[in-house]
Amino acid sequence: MITIARTLAGAAVVVVGLAGCAYTNGVLPHGGIQPDIYDAVGDILVEKSVPVKTYPECTLESEGKTQTCVGETLTGQQIQATGDQSDKAMPFTITIGGQPFYTGSATDVLKQNASVS
Amino acid sequence: MSQLSRRTFLTLTGGLAAAWALPIDTVARALDRPVAPGDVQTTLVATIRKAGQSGYVKLVPAPGEPYLTRVDLLGREATPARAKTRRSLVYLGHMSDLHVIDAQSPARLDTMAGVDPVLFSGNFRPQELMQVQILTGLVQALNDAASSPVTGAPLAFVVNTGDSADQRSQQELRWYIDTLDGAKITANTGKPGEYEGVQVWPECDFAYHPEDPSNDVWGRENGYPAIPGLVKSAISNPVDSPGLSVPWYAVYGNHDANYFGGWPTGWMTNELATGSRKAALPSATERMFGSGLGSTSPFEKLFIGSIANRGFASGTRHVTPDPNRKIMSLMDFISEHLNSPPTPGPVGHGFSQADVDNEITYWAKDVTPFVTLVGLNTCNITVGAGGSIPQDQFDWLKAQLVKARAANKLVILATHHTSFTLDNVAQPVIGPQQNLIVADEFISMLHEFPNMVAWMNGHTHLNRITGHANPNGVGGFWEISSASCVDFSQQGRVTEIVDNRDGTISIFTTVLDHAAPAQANYNDLSQSGLGSISRELAANDVYWDTDSLLGSVIDRNCELLLPAPFDMAKISDQIVAKSQAEQRVRLLAAGGATQ
């Protein structure tokens, strides 16, 4: 009984710690979405002065690997971004009206924007 | 006060002077002064960024960020003329995820960072001793922003969207309430003037040791600096908080409602929290739980605990016990908010004694004659960090929205959880159950009410703005999530709703850094100096994705447009002017800005 109780309690310790963390349980489970690609797409659209009607919202596809983000410009063109959140660099591309607009690393974009140039 | 007749102005001036015990000519002069955008130190003026992109980096001042206009819910460009015609309706402050920490509590699971520092990144933080200093800095920043940077309107109130205490400790809760109310606080428990915990115990190499970090993972692997005297200063020097200059309101966060944000308190009894043994190693934490101290069963505590107390003390250290470390109950949270002075007020900060008596954990307040603030409890106390809305609370909210709509009142919603994290439908195994509402149904209901314009929350420690469009694509409401006070970027917000008088309203939301300077000086261990050091330590925490916590530029300083939810002329200029005159005099009495 003691062994079982301790085993269960030990397991509980692990889960308690996990559950208590707003980051691991709050940020990541945005449907499993890492925020970096969404952030980088928004930053690039503003940096490049794209007139946006709807900023892209992202969803996760490909078994938790690929993010697809869809928005719209003020002229009615679709903004589409795709990125790979399983890769540490989080490579992503943005197309506007089906035309290539930007390719880069979300990690690099965020690193750059969090620091002084 | 051009919107008021001379007679109304004089009557109002006299009444407010008497109510706040101020000289009538002082009040008259303050109210007669033209209203102009406040000279406010926000991230519109200057931001704080990293000085480099790799290794341990310092923080430095950086250029401000102008407002980005977002028309996602308007569906068209905004009219340029709106800047000339707009009038302020309400201007408020927002803070979230304060995570005031009693780092010396034996109930703390800090040792689990030694098992996996990424998985348990919230269990130990190198800056965790300085939360009262940080919170005081945010209080100061909000007081400094007492006049809106957009219109000059006075700050009406501040809303705190939860996770105020980190581990459901009554002492943590008290420190946070005192900081917001205004007090001198020595953020120490246990032995007076001495820190007893993982940041000075050499065997705890998972923890940052400011005196000499050369043997811990922070100094050895991540370049954290030696800052002699930091620990002593943080726990010994009283923190002098001016308190907020305006009324403030609070809601529950999962760390206020559940032990360590995810579990009912039964998993951690007061025996451990108020006791004299603190784990220094992960194996000791596991043993302490296994020994029955973490159990609710009296039998287990007696039988297993008695064995454990004789033979399982290795890996623990003796600490000075402190009864103030007790784990609070759900109603203690409200009772402590009721134990609060009338200014800045309101006593209870949204809650009332009737709420304690009836175990009600949510509230609605008419914060102006034309704005209702609703605070929900979205925490699931069964288990888990995520949230949901019980059916009875959902029905109550709907009734509040119906009432506000009928009275042409705007509604601002305050919750801890975001739309992305209202996903927890865990039900108790024993006892009453009720239907739990999650994000989709909740948002769908809110869409029935165009007067529900803004939803303030936190939880994710990220700056984030989400437009929730009505099913037809136009109109809806804006969800505004604030960063935390504990992890980088340690920011809050001020937010103002304005009527553009062109059939649209705008919500200006502006990110605020706490008042400590951007650049840390390791020789400055003053209250403000510790604030700067804390921010720098947080910015370098390799176990958090600190670059993404800032959010995108589309999540920070923004003008968020919406179609006017009703004929805004139904809110008369006179009633707005009167409301703002009251707020300005309240600030005057509190010693804040008065323009």
Side-chain angles (χ1 to χ4, degrees), chain A residues 6 13-16 19-20 22-23 26-27 30 36 38-39 43 53 55 113-116, chain B residues 49-50 53 72 109 120 255 260 263 289-290 385 459-460 464 544-545 547-548 552-553 555:
Chain A
R6 288 182 57 192
V13 169
V14 175
V15 181
V16 164
Y23 190 68
V27 179
H30 286 191
D36 304 56
Y38 160 91
D39 287 344
D43 281 0
K53 186 165 114 180
Y55 280 93
N113 290 345
S115 61
V116 289
Chain B
R49 294 289 182 266
K50 296 177 179 177
Q53 295 184 21
D72 309 45
L109 294 173
F120 300 109
H255 279 252
F260 248 89
W263 289 79
F289 269 84
H459 186 59
T460 56
R464 180 56 57 96
W544 292 72
D545 185 2
D547 294 338
S548 77
S552 164
V553 68
D555 301 311

mmCIF file of all heavy atoms in Angstrom, chain A residues 6 13-16 19-20 22-23 26-27 30 36 38-39 43 53 55 113-116, chain B residues 49-50 53 72 109 120 255 260 263 289-290 385 459-460 464 544-545 547-548 552-553 555:
data_model
loop_
_atom_site.group_PDB
_atom_site.id
_atom_site.type_symbol
_atom_site.label_atom_id
_atom_site.label_comp_id
_atom_site.label_asym_id
_atom_site.label_seq_id
_atom_site.Cartn_x
_atom_site.Cartn_y
_atom_site.Cartn_z
ATOM 1 N N ARG A 6 3.136 5.829 -2.638
ATOM 2 C CA ARG A 6 4.291 6.656 -2.967
ATOM 3 C C ARG A 6 4.496 6.760 -4.462
ATOM 4 O O ARG A 6 4.880 7.796 -4.982
ATOM 5 C CB ARG A 6 5.532 6.079 -2.289
ATOM 6 C CG ARG A 6 5.523 6.287 -0.793
ATOM 7 C CD ARG A 6 6.768 5.759 -0.152
ATOM 8 N NE ARG A 6 7.962 6.371 -0.721
ATOM 9 C CZ ARG A 6 9.197 5.912 -0.505
ATOM 10 N NH1 ARG A 6 9.376 4.846 0.215
ATOM 11 N NH2 ARG A 6 10.225 6.526 -1.028
ATOM 12 N N VAL A 13 3.548 14.425 -8.243
ATOM 13 C CA VAL A 13 4.485 15.549 -8.161
ATOM 14 C C VAL A 13 4.846 16.029 -9.559
ATOM 15 O O VAL A 13 4.864 17.218 -9.852
ATOM 16 C CB VAL A 13 5.757 15.132 -7.392
ATOM 17 C CG1 VAL A 13 6.841 16.195 -7.521
ATOM 18 C CG2 VAL A 13 5.432 14.913 -5.932
ATOM 19 N N VAL A 14 5.144 15.069 -10.405
ATOM 20 C CA VAL A 14 5.532 15.419 -11.770
ATOM 21 C C VAL A 14 4.400 16.169 -12.471
ATOM 22 O O VAL A 14 4.599 17.223 -13.073
ATOM 23 C CB VAL A 14 5.895 14.146 -12.560
ATOM 24 C CG1 VAL A 14 6.178 14.480 -14.006
ATOM 25 C CG2 VAL A 14 7.109 13.491 -11.926
ATOM 26 N N VAL A 15 3.201 15.651 -12.342
ATOM 27 C CA VAL A 15 2.078 16.256 -13.051
ATOM 28 C C VAL A 15 1.707 17.602 -12.447
ATOM 29 O O VAL A 15 1.371 18.546 -13.156
ATOM 30 C CB VAL A 15 0.856 15.304 -13.043
ATOM 31 C CG1 VAL A 15 -0.290 15.925 -13.799
ATOM 32 C CG2 VAL A 15 1.236 13.986 -13.662
ATOM 33 N N VAL A 16 1.783 17.695 -11.106
ATOM 34 C CA VAL A 16 1.469 18.963 -10.456
ATOM 35 C C VAL A 16 2.355 20.058 -11.003
ATOM 36 O O VAL A 16 1.905 21.128 -11.382
ATOM 37 C CB VAL A 16 1.646 18.865 -8.920
ATOM 38 C CG1 VAL A 16 1.717 20.242 -8.296
ATOM 39 C CG2 VAL A 16 0.496 18.104 -8.308
ATOM 40 N N ALA A 19 1.316 20.931 -14.500
ATOM 41 C CA ALA A 19 0.032 21.600 -14.591
ATOM 42 C C ALA A 19 0.105 23.025 -14.079
ATOM 43 O O ALA A 19 -0.626 23.882 -14.502
ATOM 44 C CB ALA A 19 -1.010 20.825 -13.794
ATOM 45 N N GLY A 20 1.021 23.261 -13.147
ATOM 46 C CA GLY A 20 1.094 24.583 -12.553
ATOM 47 C C GLY A 20 1.752 25.611 -13.423
ATOM 48 O O GLY A 20 1.740 26.786 -13.114
ATOM 49 N N ALA A 22 2.049 28.032 -16.266
ATOM 50 C CA ALA A 22 1.179 28.683 -17.242
ATOM 51 C C ALA A 22 1.751 28.593 -18.645
ATOM 52 O O ALA A 22 1.026 28.622 -19.614
ATOM 53 C CB ALA A 22 0.959 30.138 -16.857
ATOM 54 N N TYR A 23 3.071 28.502 -18.748
ATOM 55 C CA TYR A 23 3.659 28.510 -20.090
ATOM 56 C C TYR A 23 3.426 27.185 -20.795
ATOM 57 O O TYR A 23 2.858 27.133 -21.873
ATOM 58 C CB TYR A 23 5.144 28.799 -19.995
ATOM 59 C CG TYR A 23 5.774 29.065 -21.331
ATOM 60 C CD1 TYR A 23 5.450 30.213 -22.033
ATOM 61 C CD2 TYR A 23 6.671 28.175 -21.891
ATOM 62 C CE1 TYR A 23 6.017 30.469 -23.268
ATOM 63 C CE2 TYR A 23 7.238 28.435 -23.124
ATOM 64 C CZ TYR A 23 6.917 29.578 -23.812
ATOM 65 O OH TYR A 23 7.473 29.829 -25.038
ATOM 66 N N GLY A 26 -0.294 26.712 -20.863
ATOM 67 C CA GLY A 26 -1.092 27.823 -21.341
ATOM 68 C C GLY A 26 -0.759 28.208 -22.757
ATOM 69 O O GLY A 26 -1.615 28.298 -23.623
ATOM 70 N N VAL A 27 0.512 28.381 -23.002
ATOM 71 C CA VAL A 27 0.899 28.874 -24.316
ATOM 72 C C VAL A 27 0.884 27.761 -25.349
ATOM 73 O O VAL A 27 0.253 27.860 -26.380
ATOM 74 C CB VAL A 27 2.305 29.495 -24.256
ATOM 75 C CG1 VAL A 27 2.698 29.989 -25.633
ATOM 76 C CG2 VAL A 27 2.317 30.627 -23.263
ATOM 77 N N HIS A 30 -2.279 26.203 -27.292
ATOM 78 C CA HIS A 30 -3.154 26.966 -28.188
ATOM 79 C C HIS A 30 -3.420 26.034 -29.367
ATOM 80 O O HIS A 30 -2.983 26.276 -30.490
ATOM 81 C CB HIS A 30 -2.472 28.227 -28.711
ATOM 82 C CG HIS A 30 -2.374 29.307 -27.677
ATOM 83 N ND1 HIS A 30 -1.999 30.574 -27.984
ATOM 84 C CD2 HIS A 30 -2.611 29.288 -26.365
ATOM 85 C CE1 HIS A 30 -2.005 31.298 -26.882
ATOM 86 N NE2 HIS A 30 -2.366 30.536 -25.883
ATOM 87 N N ASP A 36 5.487 31.508 -31.984
ATOM 88 C CA ASP A 36 6.546 32.207 -32.726
ATOM 89 C C ASP A 36 6.192 32.520 -34.182
ATOM 90 O O ASP A 36 6.500 33.609 -34.684
ATOM 91 C CB ASP A 36 7.832 31.372 -32.699
ATOM 92 C CG ASP A 36 8.268 31.046 -31.283
ATOM 93 O OD1 ASP A 36 7.451 30.463 -30.547
ATOM 94 O OD2 ASP A 36 9.403 31.383 -30.912
ATOM 95 N N TYR A 38 3.182 32.813 -35.641
ATOM 96 C CA TYR A 38 2.156 33.867 -35.647
ATOM 97 C C TYR A 38 2.810 35.228 -35.402
ATOM 98 O O TYR A 38 2.531 36.216 -36.097
ATOM 99 C CB TYR A 38 1.111 33.545 -34.581
ATOM 100 C CG TYR A 38 0.269 34.719 -34.141
ATOM 101 C CD1 TYR A 38 -0.945 35.006 -34.777
ATOM 102 C CD2 TYR A 38 0.683 35.554 -33.107
ATOM 103 C CE1 TYR A 38 -1.709 36.095 -34.370
ATOM 104 C CE2 TYR A 38 -0.068 36.628 -32.692
ATOM 105 C CZ TYR A 38 -1.265 36.901 -33.330
ATOM 106 O OH TYR A 38 -2.006 37.977 -32.933
ATOM 107 N N ASP A 39 3.675 35.273 -34.372
ATOM 108 C CA ASP A 39 4.331 36.540 -34.028
ATOM 109 C C ASP A 39 5.154 37.062 -35.198
ATOM 110 O O ASP A 39 5.106 38.244 -35.539
ATOM 111 C CB ASP A 39 5.275 36.345 -32.823
ATOM 112 C CG ASP A 39 4.521 36.158 -31.509
ATOM 113 O OD1 ASP A 39 3.314 36.469 -31.454
ATOM 114 O OD2 ASP A 39 5.142 35.710 -30.534
ATOM 115 N N ASP A 43 4.784 40.508 -37.349
ATOM 116 C CA ASP A 43 5.885 41.476 -37.374
ATOM 117 C C ASP A 43 6.296 41.814 -38.809
ATOM 118 O O ASP A 43 6.542 42.975 -39.149
ATOM 119 C CB ASP A 43 7.092 40.923 -36.607
ATOM 120 C CG ASP A 43 6.951 41.065 -35.089
ATOM 121 O OD1 ASP A 43 5.912 41.604 -34.643
ATOM 122 O OD2 ASP A 43 7.858 40.628 -34.365
ATOM 123 N N LYS A 53 -6.362 43.969 -43.771
ATOM 124 C CA LYS A 53 -7.746 44.012 -43.269
ATOM 125 C C LYS A 53 -7.898 43.040 -42.106
ATOM 126 O O LYS A 53 -8.443 43.397 -41.069
ATOM 127 C CB LYS A 53 -8.731 43.653 -44.382
ATOM 128 C CG LYS A 53 -10.185 43.807 -43.967
ATOM 129 C CD LYS A 53 -11.093 43.800 -45.183
ATOM 130 C CE LYS A 53 -11.971 42.573 -45.143
ATOM 131 N NZ LYS A 53 -12.884 42.498 -46.299
ATOM 132 N N TYR A 55 -5.536 40.390 -39.851
ATOM 133 C CA TYR A 55 -4.239 39.766 -39.584
ATOM 134 C C TYR A 55 -4.409 38.262 -39.458
ATOM 135 O O TYR A 55 -5.414 37.787 -38.930
ATOM 136 C CB TYR A 55 -3.612 40.361 -38.314
ATOM 137 C CG TYR A 55 -2.956 41.688 -38.599
ATOM 138 C CD1 TYR A 55 -3.656 42.880 -38.429
ATOM 139 C CD2 TYR A 55 -1.664 41.737 -39.104
ATOM 140 C CE1 TYR A 55 -3.070 44.101 -38.731
ATOM 141 C CE2 TYR A 55 -1.067 42.955 -39.413
ATOM 142 C CZ TYR A 55 -1.772 44.129 -39.224
ATOM 143 O OH TYR A 55 -1.191 45.333 -39.552
ATOM 144 N N ASN A 113 13.765 41.205 -33.441
ATOM 145 C CA ASN A 113 12.833 42.236 -32.967
ATOM 146 C C ASN A 113 12.842 42.403 -31.446
ATOM 147 O O ASN A 113 12.359 43.413 -30.942
ATOM 148 C CB ASN A 113 11.416 41.922 -33.451
ATOM 149 C CG ASN A 113 11.293 42.122 -34.949
ATOM 150 O OD1 ASN A 113 12.156 42.741 -35.561
ATOM 151 N ND2 ASN A 113 10.247 41.586 -35.547
ATOM 152 N N ALA A 114 13.392 41.409 -30.749
ATOM 153 C CA ALA A 114 13.487 41.542 -29.289
ATOM 154 C C ALA A 114 14.771 42.239 -28.872
ATOM 155 O O ALA A 114 15.008 42.452 -27.688
ATOM 156 C CB ALA A 114 13.412 40.159 -28.642
ATOM 157 N N SER A 115 15.600 42.567 -29.848
ATOM 158 C CA SER A 115 16.879 43.200 -29.515
ATOM 159 C C SER A 115 17.043 44.490 -30.310
ATOM 160 O O SER A 115 16.343 44.718 -31.299
ATOM 161 C CB SER A 115 18.027 42.232 -29.814
ATOM 162 O OG SER A 115 18.029 41.904 -31.185
ATOM 163 N N VAL A 116 17.981 45.308 -29.850
ATOM 164 C CA VAL A 116 18.275 46.532 -30.607
ATOM 165 C C VAL A 116 19.164 46.151 -31.776
ATOM 166 O O VAL A 116 20.006 45.265 -31.660
ATOM 167 C CB VAL A 116 18.975 47.588 -29.720
ATOM 168 C CG1 VAL A 116 18.019 48.170 -28.721
ATOM 169 C CG2 VAL A 116 20.192 47.003 -29.023
ATOM 170 N N ARG B 49 14.591 46.558 -24.833
ATOM 171 C CA ARG B 49 14.966 45.424 -25.671
ATOM 172 C C ARG B 49 16.329 44.875 -25.238
ATOM 173 O O ARG B 49 17.055 45.513 -24.490
ATOM 174 C CB ARG B 49 15.023 45.856 -27.153
ATOM 175 C CG ARG B 49 13.667 46.254 -27.739
ATOM 176 C CD ARG B 49 12.760 45.053 -27.917
ATOM 177 N NE ARG B 49 11.483 45.403 -28.511
ATOM 178 C CZ ARG B 49 10.364 45.680 -27.827
ATOM 179 N NH1 ARG B 49 10.380 45.654 -26.498
ATOM 180 N NH2 ARG B 49 9.238 45.959 -28.446
ATOM 181 N N LYS B 50 16.658 43.712 -25.770
ATOM 182 C CA LYS B 50 17.941 43.086 -25.444
ATOM 183 C C LYS B 50 19.066 43.786 -26.213
ATOM 184 O O LYS B 50 18.880 44.178 -27.373
ATOM 185 C CB LYS B 50 17.896 41.601 -25.818
ATOM 186 C CG LYS B 50 16.876 40.808 -25.008
ATOM 187 C CD LYS B 50 16.816 39.360 -25.452
ATOM 188 C CE LYS B 50 15.806 38.579 -24.608
ATOM 189 N NZ LYS B 50 15.656 37.181 -25.046
ATOM 190 N N GLN B 53 21.895 39.300 -29.241
ATOM 191 C CA GLN B 53 21.021 38.188 -29.630
ATOM 192 C C GLN B 53 21.508 36.824 -29.154
ATOM 193 O O GLN B 53 20.882 35.806 -29.448
ATOM 194 C CB GLN B 53 20.849 38.177 -31.149
ATOM 195 C CG GLN B 53 20.125 39.404 -31.668
ATOM 196 C CD GLN B 53 19.883 39.346 -33.163
ATOM 197 O OE1 GLN B 53 19.901 38.289 -33.770
ATOM 198 N NE2 GLN B 53 19.657 40.509 -33.760
ATOM 199 N N ASP B 72 -9.554 44.629 -38.317
ATOM 200 C CA ASP B 72 -10.013 43.244 -38.556
ATOM 201 C C ASP B 72 -11.519 43.088 -38.370
ATOM 202 O O ASP B 72 -12.162 42.305 -39.078
ATOM 203 C CB ASP B 72 -9.321 42.275 -37.590
ATOM 204 C CG ASP B 72 -7.814 42.408 -37.539
ATOM 205 O OD1 ASP B 72 -7.328 43.553 -37.479
ATOM 206 O OD2 ASP B 72 -7.125 41.378 -37.501
ATOM 207 N N LEU B 109 7.414 23.736 -5.033
ATOM 208 C CA LEU B 109 7.969 22.599 -5.767
ATOM 209 C C LEU B 109 9.164 23.017 -6.615
ATOM 210 O O LEU B 109 9.348 22.545 -7.737
ATOM 211 C CB LEU B 109 6.879 21.976 -6.644
ATOM 212 C CG LEU B 109 5.720 21.324 -5.890
ATOM 213 C CD1 LEU B 109 4.633 20.889 -6.863
ATOM 214 C CD2 LEU B 109 6.186 20.136 -5.077
ATOM 215 N N PHE B 120 9.515 22.076 -16.066
ATOM 216 C CA PHE B 120 9.135 22.718 -14.804
ATOM 217 C C PHE B 120 9.666 24.151 -14.723
ATOM 218 O O PHE B 120 10.135 24.601 -13.688
ATOM 219 C CB PHE B 120 9.649 21.871 -13.629
ATOM 220 C CG PHE B 120 9.096 20.480 -13.610
ATOM 221 C CD1 PHE B 120 9.890 19.387 -13.912
ATOM 222 C CD2 PHE B 120 7.758 20.255 -13.313
ATOM 223 C CE1 PHE B 120 9.373 18.096 -13.909
ATOM 224 C CE2 PHE B 120 7.233 18.979 -13.301
ATOM 225 C CZ PHE B 120 8.032 17.897 -13.603
ATOM 226 N N HIS B 255 -3.672 29.791 -10.454
ATOM 227 C CA HIS B 255 -2.729 29.675 -9.333
ATOM 228 C C HIS B 255 -3.354 30.162 -8.019
ATOM 229 O O HIS B 255 -2.818 29.876 -6.953
ATOM 230 C CB HIS B 255 -1.451 30.455 -9.635
ATOM 231 C CG HIS B 255 -0.498 29.708 -10.522
ATOM 232 N ND1 HIS B 255 0.674 29.171 -10.078
ATOM 233 C CD2 HIS B 255 -0.575 29.399 -11.840
ATOM 234 C CE1 HIS B 255 1.293 28.563 -11.071
ATOM 235 N NE2 HIS B 255 0.552 28.692 -12.167
ATOM 236 N N PHE B 260 -0.404 25.211 -7.053
ATOM 237 C CA PHE B 260 0.553 25.349 -8.150
ATOM 238 C C PHE B 260 -0.144 25.433 -9.504
ATOM 239 O O PHE B 260 0.373 25.024 -10.529
ATOM 240 C CB PHE B 260 1.595 24.226 -8.144
ATOM 241 C CG PHE B 260 2.957 24.753 -7.818
ATOM 242 C CD1 PHE B 260 3.391 24.836 -6.519
ATOM 243 C CD2 PHE B 260 3.793 25.234 -8.822
ATOM 244 C CE1 PHE B 260 4.633 25.349 -6.212
ATOM 245 C CE2 PHE B 260 5.031 25.756 -8.526
ATOM 246 C CZ PHE B 260 5.467 25.812 -7.216
ATOM 247 N N TRP B 263 -3.723 21.795 -9.274
ATOM 248 C CA TRP B 263 -4.275 20.727 -8.454
ATOM 249 C C TRP B 263 -5.017 21.274 -7.258
ATOM 250 O O TRP B 263 -4.675 22.322 -6.732
ATOM 251 C CB TRP B 263 -3.149 19.799 -7.985
ATOM 252 C CG TRP B 263 -2.611 18.989 -9.104
ATOM 253 C CD1 TRP B 263 -1.722 19.422 -10.048
ATOM 254 C CD2 TRP B 263 -2.958 17.648 -9.445
ATOM 255 N NE1 TRP B 263 -1.481 18.412 -10.961
ATOM 256 C CE2 TRP B 263 -2.220 17.312 -10.612
ATOM 257 C CE3 TRP B 263 -3.804 16.701 -8.888
ATOM 258 C CZ2 TRP B 263 -2.323 16.064 -11.222
ATOM 259 C CZ3 TRP B 263 -3.893 15.458 -9.494
ATOM 260 C CH2 TRP B 263 -3.162 15.147 -10.648
ATOM 261 N N PHE B 289 5.930 13.925 -0.653
ATOM 262 C CA PHE B 289 4.570 13.628 -1.130
ATOM 263 C C PHE B 289 4.213 12.192 -0.811
ATOM 264 O O PHE B 289 3.125 11.886 -0.345
ATOM 265 C CB PHE B 289 4.479 13.878 -2.638
ATOM 266 C CG PHE B 289 4.059 15.262 -2.959
ATOM 267 C CD1 PHE B 289 4.984 16.285 -2.994
ATOM 268 C CD2 PHE B 289 2.730 15.556 -3.194
ATOM 269 C CE1 PHE B 289 4.595 17.575 -3.273
ATOM 270 C CE2 PHE B 289 2.335 16.855 -3.474
ATOM 271 C CZ PHE B 289 3.276 17.864 -3.510
ATOM 272 N N GLY B 290 5.174 11.322 -1.058
ATOM 273 C CA GLY B 290 4.928 9.914 -0.831
ATOM 274 C C GLY B 290 4.684 9.579 0.633
ATOM 275 O O GLY B 290 4.018 8.608 0.962
ATOM 276 N N ALA B 385 -4.673 23.257 -15.359
ATOM 277 C CA ALA B 385 -4.371 24.688 -15.470
ATOM 278 C C ALA B 385 -5.355 25.410 -16.385
ATOM 279 O O ALA B 385 -5.554 26.619 -16.262
ATOM 280 C CB ALA B 385 -2.952 24.867 -16.003
ATOM 281 N N HIS B 459 -3.011 34.715 -18.310
ATOM 282 C CA HIS B 459 -2.737 33.283 -18.234
ATOM 283 C C HIS B 459 -1.538 32.814 -19.058
ATOM 284 O O HIS B 459 -0.721 32.051 -18.588
ATOM 285 C CB HIS B 459 -3.970 32.468 -18.640
ATOM 286 C CG HIS B 459 -3.812 30.996 -18.445
ATOM 287 N ND1 HIS B 459 -3.538 30.433 -17.214
ATOM 288 C CD2 HIS B 459 -3.870 29.946 -19.327
ATOM 289 C CE1 HIS B 459 -3.454 29.097 -17.347
ATOM 290 N NE2 HIS B 459 -3.637 28.792 -18.609
ATOM 291 N N THR B 460 -1.435 33.235 -20.302
ATOM 292 C CA THR B 460 -0.393 32.684 -21.171
ATOM 293 C C THR B 460 0.941 33.424 -21.042
ATOM 294 O O THR B 460 1.922 33.013 -21.660
ATOM 295 C CB THR B 460 -0.844 32.732 -22.645
ATOM 296 O OG1 THR B 460 -1.170 34.085 -22.956
ATOM 297 C CG2 THR B 460 -2.046 31.849 -22.881
ATOM 298 N N ARG B 464 -1.015 39.495 -26.392
ATOM 299 C CA ARG B 464 -1.740 38.926 -27.536
ATOM 300 C C ARG B 464 -3.058 39.684 -27.707
ATOM 301 O O ARG B 464 -3.710 40.016 -26.712
ATOM 302 C CB ARG B 464 -2.025 37.440 -27.289
ATOM 303 C CG ARG B 464 -2.779 36.688 -28.374
ATOM 304 C CD ARG B 464 -2.136 36.748 -29.731
ATOM 305 N NE ARG B 464 -0.765 36.270 -29.774
ATOM 306 C CZ ARG B 464 -0.400 35.032 -30.117
ATOM 307 N NH1 ARG B 464 -1.300 34.149 -30.439
ATOM 308 N NH2 ARG B 464 0.867 34.683 -30.158
ATOM 309 N N TRP B 544 12.538 29.615 -21.033
ATOM 310 C CA TRP B 544 11.330 30.230 -21.575
ATOM 311 C C TRP B 544 11.668 30.817 -22.936
ATOM 312 O O TRP B 544 12.793 31.266 -23.159
ATOM 313 C CB TRP B 544 10.819 31.356 -20.650
ATOM 314 C CG TRP B 544 10.291 30.874 -19.338
ATOM 315 C CD1 TRP B 544 11.023 30.372 -18.296
ATOM 316 C CD2 TRP B 544 8.927 30.830 -18.934
ATOM 317 N NE1 TRP B 544 10.193 30.024 -17.263
ATOM 318 C CE2 TRP B 544 8.902 30.291 -17.619
ATOM 319 C CE3 TRP B 544 7.724 31.204 -19.538
ATOM 320 C CZ2 TRP B 544 7.715 30.103 -16.906
ATOM 321 C CZ3 TRP B 544 6.549 31.024 -18.830
ATOM 322 C CH2 TRP B 544 6.551 30.481 -17.538
ATOM 323 N N ASP B 545 10.682 30.861 -23.814
ATOM 324 C CA ASP B 545 10.868 31.466 -25.130
ATOM 325 C C ASP B 545 10.634 32.966 -24.965
ATOM 326 O O ASP B 545 9.593 33.497 -25.339
ATOM 327 C CB ASP B 545 9.856 30.838 -26.100
ATOM 328 C CG ASP B 545 10.055 31.312 -27.528
ATOM 329 O OD1 ASP B 545 10.993 32.088 -27.769
ATOM 330 O OD2 ASP B 545 9.250 30.900 -28.383
ATOM 331 N N ASP B 547 11.696 35.671 -26.298
ATOM 332 C CA ASP B 547 11.469 36.570 -27.443
ATOM 333 C C ASP B 547 9.999 36.575 -27.852
ATOM 334 O O ASP B 547 9.474 37.600 -28.283
ATOM 335 C CB ASP B 547 12.343 36.153 -28.633
ATOM 336 C CG ASP B 547 13.825 36.348 -28.339
ATOM 337 O OD1 ASP B 547 14.141 37.157 -27.449
ATOM 338 O OD2 ASP B 547 14.651 35.691 -28.993
ATOM 339 N N SER B 548 9.341 35.437 -27.712
ATOM 340 C CA SER B 548 7.936 35.390 -28.137
ATOM 341 C C SER B 548 6.992 35.948 -27.067
ATOM 342 O O SER B 548 5.843 36.275 -27.365
ATOM 343 C CB SER B 548 7.519 33.967 -28.510
ATOM 344 O OG SER B 548 7.303 33.198 -27.356
ATOM 345 N N SER B 552 3.786 39.790 -30.869
ATOM 346 C CA SER B 552 4.083 40.502 -32.115
ATOM 347 C C SER B 552 3.721 41.969 -31.938
ATOM 348 O O SER B 552 2.994 42.346 -31.008
ATOM 349 C CB SER B 552 3.256 39.883 -33.241
ATOM 350 O OG SER B 552 3.226 40.737 -34.352
ATOM 351 N N VAL B 553 4.200 42.781 -32.851
ATOM 352 C CA VAL B 553 3.819 44.193 -32.843
ATOM 353 C C VAL B 553 2.300 44.346 -33.003
ATOM 354 O O VAL B 553 1.716 45.326 -32.525
ATOM 355 C CB VAL B 553 4.619 44.960 -33.935
ATOM 356 C CG1 VAL B 553 4.194 44.517 -35.323
ATOM 357 C CG2 VAL B 553 4.490 46.459 -33.762
ATOM 358 N N ASP B 555 0.218 42.755 -31.411
ATOM 359 C CA ASP B 555 -0.366 42.424 -30.105
ATOM 360 C C ASP B 555 -0.058 43.465 -29.040
ATOM 361 O O ASP B 555 -0.390 43.259 -27.877
ATOM 362 C CB ASP B 555 0.194 41.078 -29.604
ATOM 363 C CG ASP B 555 -0.087 39.941 -30.550
ATOM 364 O OD1 ASP B 555 -1.240 39.803 -30.955
ATOM 365 O OD2 ASP B 555 0.853 39.205 -30.886
#
